[in-house]
Every structure is written in structure tokens, then in C-alpha cells.
């Protein structure tokens, strides 16, 4: 039995943030919300405040210098979380500009202490702390008195049982902020970076006393509804909950292909379908999803090839309308893999999906913000690991330039990521462009080595006879094999 | 009737309630409004809003004195020098113009909430009621 003090964790109200913090905001903690200008610090602070504030849990928001409070109120109320009815009931704004300008830190401290004593808030926000720090530099013994100020403030707020956020504008986690960094129980770092033409927002929990925060840098988005964080690396959280029957196979919806693969796609595998444009990759992906639905297995598709309003085939639309197939919104060209992965995981859990299609990797890469493309392989690896660990079977398509002098399975060297690979190609035969299909790899399983002709009919993929009477299929210009022609 | 007209009438009613003390009532309303707003938007934020307000309203009431007026002393003097009707009209104009500006900046609901808080009992109760009824 333990008599340790139990730290209550407050739900921040910011999607994804609690997970990053390791369960929520520790009650009575003293936190620094730091970042570059325009990175969303004030927005997130407001989101937290409006979400948590209630008559029995009041919030005090001190504005110092920087953004004029009128502007802040004008813009922040555009967000749905801004609830006017809470102002002056459970939320109070206090401007400290005058106290800082003509006074010293002691005066600011005293003013904060007075307000806190009068209002007895459970939450205190100071926006922005940078302006306090800058004032410190212009004063005698600046750094020392800043440290004193921060320590005093931290002590006072904790004594008043107030969970506190200092909002600070920093270009980089630099030395001048170190007194704050030392005193703070939690440090959340927000930034925005422009690479090529795309803006990417990132968030990192640098420090969080007493609990295991989500490590690493995560992406977030500021939408019409506020800050939305997409925590990465959810593998550990989900891996233990899934067990897969090793022998279980999923039908691709193409009977002959199932046979070629040794009985279907092993459950929990990632299957890469490669082929040139128009070879039937999306058709196969659609059949894979339809077959799942036919067997009561819900599917999710992330389609990057087409715009949402001309989305997909009639067959896919029917599946979507039936509610057995979820579609991931692939929106804009500044996505992060974490955002897609987050959306996928939410939808897979929500729908209880067993089959996932990503169509295609090339389109996916294009939809990412340029700064993420450098890490595409690594991120893809993580994404596939997370998805397959959830027990879903993933089918990815990849466009392959049809070059006959060489055999490649993806333009990124991603083929090793896949547990199974199916290849589609064109060959020229008797004045016609024919399609062939072959199973290149099924990890830990027997599979056919045949190269088979196939057609795309109104019923989908129809696989024909093996092409054993020809040689040189992979050159694109096969000729009848000597044995056959000799007959 | 539009909310704006309602608000105008509410302010007019409160300013003109006791014709013999229009100046005192108007200054009292300004003081309470200032306390409420200075806490939130800072002294300088309030002062610049107020200075612009005087500047605008002077076009219609040229005898109002321009410039910084943190304690409303100049306003008090200006109003006291006028006849009741002229003082009342200017006082109403000043308050309504100021509140319209505030609404443009931070919206009707938030402005109403702040007015309620500033002029709580006697004044804002009616104002809030009227405005809320309209909504």
C-alpha cells in the first residue's frame, strides 16, 4: 500500500495533448508554453483555459505586453471553444502592462499575488512571459531578478494551488530562458517551419515532471476549431492488445490470386501492389475491400489519387454508403504522416476495421508537406508497423514506371517494408498490350512463382493462364519459348 | 426594434434619468466602464479607445475638449458648461459611439457581458434584459 501523494491530471481539452503530456496536465504544476511567434501558444492556452474553467475552477489570464488584449479577444473568440458566458464568471482577464512598465518585478509579483488572492483561481496564465524577460534585461541585475521573479511566482502559484502556464515567445530554447526552464515543471515547445511553400507546425513536450511524456516532435494543426495535435509513435500503446491467429488468411477478392499467394494474404501483413499507371492496382485494392465487407470485415481507405468529389469508383462509393468502408480525408498538400496515421487509427478503432488500403504511396508522398518527404521511408516504416501491430491487414499501391531493363518494386526502396508484394506489368504480345501479374514475395509462406496473364473486366480482375509458353516476359517483349515454338 | 436602437435607448434612459445630474451620472457610468475595461485591456488600451471616441464625437459636439482625460475631469467640465439637453445628447453620443466601437472590435456578446459587469445593478440589469430579450 502506498501513501504517495496522487497527482490529479487535468484533461487539457486539446485533442492529442493529454497523450503527449503522459495523461494530462498535472494539477498545481508550473508550466512554460514556449515557441516562435505565431506558433499557436495563445490559442492553445485559451483552448486549455476555456475547456477547464468552471465556476468551481476559475481561471485568471494575465496579459502583459505583446499582443494587445483587444486584438486577442477579437481573434480568439473566432474559435468555438471561446465561451463568452464564462468571462467574468469563471474566467477573468487582467492586464499588467502598466505594472511592468513603471514598476519592477516586485510590483508585478505583488499585483499577481493580489489578483490571485482576490479571485482564488485554480488556473493562472501569464501571456506573454517574453515581455517580462525582456524587461529584465534592461534592468539592473536583470537575469538574477528574473530568476528570483520566476521562482517567487512558481512558489506563490503552487502555494495558492494554482495550475500555472507562462506563455513565452522564444525563437529557440535559448539560454536566456534557462531560469524559467529550471523552475518549470513542464515545458511545451511549439514552432512553425516553412519548407518550400508548406507550413508545418510542430510541438514537443521538452519536460514534464512526474510523468512520462510522449517523446519526440509531433505535428499539430490549427483549424477552425483550434489546436489539434497528432501524437506520433503509438506503437507501444496498441501493440499488446492485439493477437493474430498466425494461420489466418484474408482473401484478396481474386480467387486465383489467393491461390498464387498460398491461400490469401496472411492477416496482419502489409501487401504492396506495384505496377505502372492503369495496370489495375486500384481495382485490386477495391476488390480487397469489397471482399472484406462481404465477409463482415470493415475497411478503411486513404485515397490520395483522386479528389474527394470525384472519389473512387462506383463500387467503392457503394461500400462507403453502406457504412462498411471509412474514407480518410486527405485534404491538402501539407499533411504529416502522423496526421494521416492519427486519422487512420481513430477510424480503425471507431469502425473496428480489419482492412486498410493506402492508394497510393506516390500520391501519399505528394500530399505530404515537403519537409516530411525526406523522412518518408522512415515514417512509412513506423506507420506500417503501427497499423499491422493493431492487427489490420494493409494493402498499399505503388506506381512503378514500366522500365523493362530493370526490375524495381518501388521508387523509394520501400519494398522491404512490405511483407508481401504483388507485381503487375504490361507486356506487348501479338500486337496487344497485355497485363501480367505475379506474386513476388509472401514472407514466411509458399507462393506461386508464375507470371499470369490477367484482364480487367466489369467483375474486376480475371486471372488467366500462366505465361509459361513465353520467355522474356519481364523484358516487356516476350517471345514464345523454344519448347512451345518447336511443336 | 434593432438591438442597436434598444441599446441607444437604454443608455439615453440612464443618462437622462435625473436631468439635474446628467453630468454626475454620465461620469459615474464612464468610471465604472473604465475600471472594468482597464483591468482587461490595460490603461493605455482604454485611453486610446477613449481618445478616438472623443475625436469622433467632437464632430457633432465641438465644445467637447480633446486630449487625454484619464479621470474624465475635462469631460465633466465640458458637460457642466452646457445646457441639460446639449449635455445629455453629447453624453449619450459618447457612450453609444464608444460601445459601438467596442462591439466592432470584440463583438456583441462579449461587450454585453462586460457592460453587465461594469454597470451591474441599476443600469446594466435593464440593458442586459433588453438586449437579451432582443436576442
Amino acid at each position: 500500500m502506498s501513501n504517495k501523494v496522487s497527482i490529479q491530471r487535468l484533461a487539457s481539452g486539446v485533442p492529442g495533448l493529454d497523450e503527449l503530456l503522459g495523461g494530462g496536465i498535472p494539477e498545481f504544476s508550473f508550466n512554460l508554453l514556449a515557441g516562435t511567434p505565431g506558433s499557436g501558444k495563445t490559442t492553445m492556452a485559451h483552448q486549455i483555459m476555456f475547456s477547464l474553467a468552471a465556476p468551481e475552477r476559475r481561471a485568471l489570464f494575465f496579459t502583459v505586453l505583446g499582443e494587445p488584449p483587444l486584438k486577442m479577444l477579437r481573434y480568439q473568440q473566432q474559435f468555438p471553444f471561446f465561451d463568452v458566458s464564462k468571462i467574468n464568471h469563471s474566467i477573468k482577464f487582467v492586464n499588467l502592462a502598466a505594472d511592468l512598465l513603471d514598476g519592477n518585478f516586485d510590483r508585478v509579483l505583488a499585483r499577481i499575488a493580489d489578483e490571485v488572492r482576490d479571485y482564488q483561481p485554480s488556473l493562472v496564465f501569464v501571456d506573454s512571459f517574453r515581455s517580462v524577460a525582456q524587461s529584465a534585461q534592461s534592468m539592473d541585475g536583470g537575469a538574477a531578478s528574473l530568476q528570483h521573479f520566476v521562482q517567487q511566482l512558481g512558489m506563490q502559484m503552487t502555494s495558492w494551488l494554482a495550475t500555472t502556464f507562462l506563455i513565452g515567445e522564444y525563437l529557440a530554447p535559448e539560454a536566456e530562458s534557462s531560469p524559467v526552464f529550471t523552475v518549470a515543471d513542464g515545458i511545451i515547445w511549439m514552432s512553425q517551419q516553412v519548407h518550400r511553400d508548406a507550413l508545418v507546425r510542430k510541438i514537443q513536450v521538452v519536460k514534464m515532471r512526474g510523468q512520462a511524456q510522449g517523446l519526440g516532435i509531433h505535428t499539430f494543426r490549427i483549424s477552425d476549431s483550434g489546436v489539434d495535435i497528432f501524437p506520433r509513435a503509438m506503437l507501444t500503446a496498441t501493440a499488446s492488445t492485439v493477437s493474430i491467429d498466425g494461420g489466418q488468411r484474408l482473401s484478396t477478392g481474386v480467387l486465383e490470386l489467393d491461390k498464387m499467394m498460398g491461400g490469401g494474404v496472411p492477416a496482419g501483413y502489409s501487401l504492396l501492389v506495384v505496377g505502372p499507371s492503369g495496370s489495375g492496382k486500384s481495382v485490386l485494392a477495391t476488390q480487397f475491400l469489397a471482399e472484406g465487407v462481404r465477409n463482415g470485415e470493415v475497411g478503411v481507405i486513404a485515397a490520395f489519387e483522386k479528389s474527394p468529389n470525384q472519389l473512387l469508383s462506383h463500387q467503392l462509393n457503394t461500400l462507403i454508403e453502406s457504412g462498411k468502408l471509412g474514407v480518410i480525408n486527405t485534404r491538402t498538400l501539407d499533411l504529416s504522416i502522423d496526421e494521416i496515421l492519427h486519422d487512420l487509427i481513430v477510424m480503425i478503432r471507431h469502425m473496428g476495421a480489419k482492412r486498410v488500403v493506402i492508394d497510393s504511396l506516390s500520391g501519399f508522398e505528394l500530399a505530404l508537406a515537403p519537409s516530411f518527404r525526406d523522412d518518408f521511408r522512415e515514417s512509412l516504416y513506423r506507420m506500417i508497423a503501427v497499423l499491422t501491430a493493431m492487427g489490420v491487414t494493409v494493402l498499399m499501391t505503388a506506381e512503378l514506371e514500366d522500365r523493362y531493363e530493370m526490375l524495381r518494386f518501388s521508387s523509394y526502396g520501400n519494398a522491404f517494408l512490405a511483407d508481401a508484394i504483388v507485381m503487375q506489368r504490361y507486356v506487348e504480345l501479338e500486337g496487344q498490350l497485355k497485363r501480367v501479374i505475379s506474386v513476388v514475395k509472401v514472407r514466411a509462406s509458399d507462393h506461386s512463382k508464375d507470371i499470369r496473364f490477367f484482364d480487367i473486366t466489369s467483375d474486376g480482375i480475371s486471372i488467366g493462364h500462366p505465361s509459361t509458353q513465353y520467355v522474356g516476359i519481364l523484358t516487356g517483349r516476350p517471345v514464345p519459348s523454344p519448347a512451345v515454338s518447336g511443336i | 426594434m434593432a438591438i442597436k436602437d434598444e441599446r441607444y435607448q437604454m443608455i439615453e434612459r440612464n443618462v437622462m434619468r435625473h436631468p439635474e445630474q446628467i453630468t454626475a451620472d454620465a461620469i459615474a457610468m464612464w468610471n465604472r466602464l473604465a475600471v472594468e475595461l482597464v483591468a482587461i485591456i490595460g490603461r493605455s488600451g482604454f485611453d486610446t479607445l477613449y481618445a478616438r471616441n472623443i475625436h469622433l464625437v467632437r464632430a457633432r459636439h465641438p465644445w467637447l475638449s480633446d486630449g487625454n482625460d484619464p479621470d474624465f475631469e475635462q469631460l465633466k467640465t465640458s458637460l457642466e458648461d452646457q445646457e441639460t439637453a446639449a449635455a445629455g445628447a453629447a453624453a449619450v453620443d459618447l457612450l453609444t459611439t464608444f460601445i459601438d466601437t467596442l462591439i466592432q472590435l470584440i463583438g456583441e456578446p462579449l461587450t454585453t457581458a462586460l457592460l453587465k459587469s461594469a454597470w451591474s445593478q441599476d443600469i446594466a440589469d435593464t440593458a442586459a434584459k433588453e438586449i437579451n430579450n432582443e436576442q
Side-chain angles (χ1 to χ4, degrees):
Chain A
M1 132 163 208
S2 165
N3 291 323
K4 286 192 292 187
V5 60
S6 88
I7 297 177
Q8 203 196 324
R9 295 188 172 88
L10 309 172
S12 66
V14 179
L17 180 61
D18 294 343
E19 200 171 332
L20 239 65
L21 294 175
I25 303 161
E27 202 172 31
F28 315 146
S29 59
F30 188 72
N31 305 291
L32 179 65
L33 210 56
T36 51
S39 58
K41 303 178 295 294
T42 303
T43 301
M44 194 160 92
H46 269 98
Q47 202 168 341
I48 294 171
M49 176 171 72
F50 277 98
S51 164
L52 283 174
E56 69 282 358
R57 191 199 279 142
R58 288 188 297 274
L60 252 181
F61 196 101
F62 293 103
T63 51
V64 187
L65 294 171
E67 187 182 14
L70 268 178
K71 282 268 185 66
M72 182 186 75
L73 293 174
R74 176 176 168 80
Y75 291 118
Q76 288 298 322
Q77 64 176 273
Q78 305 306 315
F79 291 110
F81 55 73
F82 192 101
D83 181 356
V84 170
S85 69
K86 287 190 173 179
I87 289 175
N88 283 340
H89 295 287
S90 41
I91 290 173
K92 190 178 170 191
F93 289 95
V94 176
N95 186 269
L96 295 180
D99 302 272
L100 186 63
L101 277 183
D102 53 44
N104 53 24
F105 284 153
D106 290 340
R107 173 151 172 202
V108 176
L109 261 181
R111 180 78 200 283
I112 291 178
D114 285 350
E115 292 286 346
V116 169
R117 192 169 46 240
D118 289 349
Y119 197 64
Q120 306 212 344
S122 307
L123 299 161
V124 171
F125 296 81
V126 180
D127 183 12
S128 90
F129 190 74
R130 169 76 174 193
S131 43
V132 178
Q134 274 173 336
S135 285
Q137 288 179 334
S138 63
M139 287 162 33
D140 294 337
S145 58
L146 175 65
Q147 174 126 30
H148 175 74
F149 170 81
V150 174
Q151 266 163 355
Q152 287 294 311
L153 186 65
M155 195 187 67
Q156 280 191 4
M157 292 306 110
T158 311
S159 305
W160 285 103
L161 305 188
T163 308
T164 306
F165 290 86
L166 301 183
I167 299 156
E169 198 162 277
Y170 298 103
L171 295 177
E174 60 209 90
E176 65 172 294
S177 47
S178 60
V180 194
F181 280 31
T182 314
V183 176
D185 299 317
I187 299 169
I188 301 172
W189 180 261
M190 301 169 84
S191 65
Q192 53 180 358
Q193 294 158 8
V194 176
H195 184 75
R196 309 262 280 267
D197 286 340
L199 177 92
V200 171
R201 298 182 190 276
K202 296 187 172 180
I203 186 166
Q204 182 185 10
V205 178
V206 179
K207 169 180 177 182
M208 189 52 66
R209 280 199 182 117
Q211 57 198 46
Q213 78 266 33
L215 297 173
I217 295 174
H218 311 259
T219 53
F220 71 99
R221 188 174 277 277
I222 300 179
S223 65
D224 290 345
S225 54
V227 172
D228 202 348
I229 300 171
F230 309 103
R232 72 203 286 266
M234 282 166 287
L235 183 55
T236 48
T238 53
S240 56
T241 57
V242 180
S243 69
I244 302 166
D245 175 5
Q248 196 195 338
R249 300 263 180 160
L250 272 61
S251 169
T252 59
V254 181
L255 191 62
E256 282 302 317
L257 182 60
D258 289 347
K259 287 183 192 162
M260 289 169 73
M261 297 187 76
V265 190
Y269 265 36
S270 55
L271 167 64
L272 182 68
V273 179
V274 295
S277 183
S279 67
K281 302 182 295 296
S282 297
V283 175
L284 180 56
T286 305
Q287 279 187 270
F288 173 74
L289 291 171
E291 179 66 15
V293 169
R294 214 174 57 79
N295 295 324
E297 295 166 355
V298 174
V300 171
I301 182 167
F304 297 93
E305 296 286 273
K306 295 163 182 124
S307 67
N309 48 5
Q310 56 147 53
L311 188 82
L312 316 167
S313 62
H314 175 68
Q315 190 183 7
L316 273 180
N317 279 328
T318 311
L319 292 175
I320 293 162
E321 279 163 22
S322 75
K324 302 287 186 195
L325 178 62
V327 183
I328 296 293
N329 185 359
T330 51
R331 292 182 289 222
T332 50
L333 296 181
D334 59 350
L335 292 167
S336 69
I337 287 217
D338 290 316
E339 193 171 344
I340 287 288
L341 182 55
H342 171 267
D343 289 355
L344 273 172
I345 287 173
V346 167
M347 193 171 277
I348 289 167
R349 286 200 180 133
H350 175 69
M351 299 183 73
K354 292 285 176 213
R355 296 179 181 221
V356 171
V357 163
I358 298 166
D359 186 25
S360 69
L361 292 183
S362 337
F364 187 6
E365 191 183 14
L366 277 182
L368 292 179
S371 58
F372 293 119
R373 293 187 195 152
D374 298 340
D375 302 328
F376 188 64
R377 268 180 72 183
E378 184 192 328
S379 308
L380 195 62
Y381 174 77
R382 191 159 48 81
M383 175 163 170
I384 293 168
V386 169
L387 291 178
T388 51
M390 291 175 78
V392 299
T393 307
V394 184
L395 186 154
M396 303 167 287
T397 67
E399 184 135 324
L400 187 66
E401 202 184 336
D402 227 353
R403 295 166 68 182
Y404 296 105
E405 69 274 22
M406 58 193 291
L407 190 60
R408 294 165 72 197
F409 297 117
S410 89
S411 41
Y412 324 97
N414 295 326
F416 79 96
L417 300 174
D419 299 311
I421 298 174
V422 167
M423 176 189 65
Q424 299 175 336
R425 299 200 82 166
Y426 290 116
V427 295
E428 183 196 334
L429 200 64
E430 294 159 357
Q432 281 192 317
L433 210 50
K434 300 256 190 200
R435 294 183 173 95
V436 294
I437 191 167
S438 173
V439 177
V440 177
K441 154 180 164 184
V442 181
R443 190 169 281 160
S445 168
D446 271 348
H447 62 88
S448 159
K449 311 295 188 286
D450 290 344
I451 298 173
R452 307 270 295 260
F453 289 107
F454 75 98
D455 280 318
I456 297 175
T457 68
S458 56
D459 294 329
I461 286 179
S462 163
I463 294 183
H465 55 83
S467 58
T468 45
Q469 64 269 53
Y470 297 98
V471 294
I473 290 275
L474 295 180
T475 66
R477 283 183 292 276
V479 293
S481 66
V484 176
S485 60
I487 292 173
Chain B
M1 191 187 296
I3 297 174
K4 193 170 170 174
D5 297 337
E6 292 254 346
R7 195 166 43 241
Y8 178 88
Q9 290 190 355
M10 174 275 291
I11 288 171
E12 187 176 43
R13 220 167 21 250
N14 281 290
V15 171
M16 309 289 226
R17 187 181 294 165
H18 309 290
E20 70 286 356
Q21 55 179 55
I22 283 175
T23 302
D25 284 350
I27 299 293
M29 287 171 82
W30 272 113
N31 274 323
R32 290 199 211 165
L33 191 54
V35 167
E36 179 74 22
L37 285 176
V38 165
I40 296 174
I41 66 174
R43 183 81 238 176
S44 60
F46 179 83
D47 286 349
T48 46
L49 272 183
Y50 182 80
R52 174 184 178 273
N53 193 47
I54 286 278
H55 182 75
L56 288 181
V57 175
R58 273 190 77 199
R60 298 184 286 271
H61 312 276
W63 45 265
L64 284 168
S65 43
D66 217 343
N68 266 345
D69 191 11
D71 305 319
F72 309 112
E73 283 298 324
Q74 293 180 36
L75 176 63
K76 188 171 174 223
T77 315
S78 302
L79 290 175
E80 278 171 350
D81 287 347
Q82 300 300 310
E83 298 291 325
T84 302
V92 171
D93 199 350
L94 272 173
L95 281 164
T96 49
T97 308
F98 187 86
I99 288 163
D100 286 345
T101 306
L102 213 51
I103 287 171
Q104 273 190 294
L105 285 169
I106 59 171
E108 177 104 41
L110 186 52
T111 304
T112 306
L114 296 180
L115 290 184
K116 271 191 205 176
S117 175
W119 295 337
S120 48
Q121 306 81 20
D122 47 331
I123 303 172
D125 276 357
T126 32
K129 214 177 291 165
E130 285 161 11
I131 292 172
N132 285 342
N133 286 345
E134 190 69 27
Q135 290 169 338

